[in-house]
Amino acid sequence: QLQLQESGPGLVKPSETLSLTCTVSGGSISSSSYYWGWIRQPPGKGLEWIGSIYYSGSTYYNPSLKSRVTISVDTSKNQFSLKLSSVTAADTAVYYCARHAPRGDYADWGQGTLVTVSS
Amino acid sequence: EIVMTQSPATLSVSPGERATLSCRASQSVSSNLAWYQQKPGQAPRLLIYGASTRATGIPARFSGSGSGTEFTLTISSLQSEDFAVYYCQQYNNWPPHTFGPGTKVDIK
């Protein structure tokens, strides 16, 4: 059974870079036909798609965040990562990693990790 | 960007009753729409994809319908474990994938 687990600092200072890693177990991140994505949810609010990456390295970003986001994949470690630069309090959220098929629905999710932006 | 809206924001339903949730897209997404259920402190759970196909392990009381810009999620007989927030998501035209704001189903 596929499992995804987010890891990274729970507290980031304003203007710094948020960095998270998603470790995939129970399956290979190099499996063809799957994309690996990041989605966030501010406390008490809805879901916002951040971006996705294909195992080959092709990336797709939310235009609203594109200038600050980098998603990368490390197939040797079966991990993919998120970097979000110049964070503000508005970036405080639970960050989820997830897998989606080419059609775009997310069947597999990590448990989520809360990242708070505060000095 | 395709904007998704959902109605109502909150739906109060008694156990055993039927719940009907609506999702609308700002432009056609064909049948490229998914529904998710989210309970407090948990990740979203995929219920429906392709507007009407139940995901693996999803009970038959959940059904989806619609195409184009108007979609419906129906829960035929609400069980206690169904009280949650439900989100729709389009994946017809991406990036970005876009989600609706959610409908909270609570106990009447």
Side-chain angles (χ1 to χ4, degrees):
Chain A
Q1 181 181 353
L2 191 77
Q3 291 189 315
L4 298 92
Q5 178 67 58
E6 305 89 351
S7 60
L11 181 64
V12 181
K13 289 183 169 55
S15 80
E16 295 190 345
T17 296
L18 178 160
S19 296
L20 294 174
T21 295
C22 183
T23 300
V24 179
S25 58
S28 173
I29 203 167
S30 298
S31 297
S32 60
S33 299
Y34 283 105
Y35 294 74
W36 306 89
W38 290 96
I39 295 157
R40 69 180 183 179
Q41 185 171 36
K45 297 187 178 180
L47 301 163
E48 180 181 31
W49 181 76
I50 300 170
S52 296
I53 189 166
Y54 195 53
Y55 79 96
S56 62
S58 298
T59 52
Y60 309 82
Y61 298 137
N62 192 323
S64 68
L65 298 169
K66 188 173 183 177
S67 64
R68 299 194 292 130
V69 173
T70 302
I71 298 176
S72 59
V73 64
D74 187 336
T75 56
S76 67
K77 294 182 179 179
N78 227 32
Q79 295 176 334
F80 63 107
S81 299
L82 168 70
K83 291 188 186 298
L84 181 65
S85 64
S86 305
V87 297
T88 69
D91 296 309
T92 293
V94 175
Y95 285 76
Y96 295 101
C97 61
R99 183 180 78 163
H100 70 89
R103 60 176 181 254
D105 53 280
Y106 292 81
D108 301 290
W109 296 70
Q111 65 184 26
T113 187
L114 174 63
V115 179
T116 301
V117 178
S118 176
S119 55
Chain B
E1 173 178 325
I2 296 176
V3 177
M4 308 300 293
T5 56
Q6 292 185 243
S7 61
T10 303
L11 184 62
S12 296
V13 185
S14 299
E17 289 188 340
R18 182 186 199 91
T20 302
L21 290 67
S22 296
C23 174
R24 175 176 291 180
S26 61
Q27 63 189 76
S28 176
V29 298
S30 187
S31 294
N32 296 312
L33 183 109
W35 289 95
Y36 300 85
Q37 175 193 70
Q38 188 179 34
K39 297 179 181 179
Q42 295 184 17
R45 173 195 182 195
L46 177 66
L47 299 176
I48 302 284
Y49 64 90
S52 60
T53 302
R54 278 189 301 276
T56 302
I58 301 303
R61 63 180 182 272
F62 291 93
S63 63
S65 63
S67 65
T69 62
E70 302 281 344
F71 301 88
T72 301
L73 175 69
T74 302
I75 311 171
S76 60
S77 177
L78 269 158
Q79 307 297 302
S80 58
E81 61 267 30
D82 300 336
F83 293 97
V85 179
Y86 293 83
Y87 295 96
C88 60
Q89 175 227 341
Q90 72 81 21
Y91 46 88
N92 185 66
N93 187 8
W94 71 286
H97 288 153
T98 49
F99 293 86
T103 291
K104 182 179 182 180
V105 178
D106 65 15
I107 300 174
K108 187 174 182 180

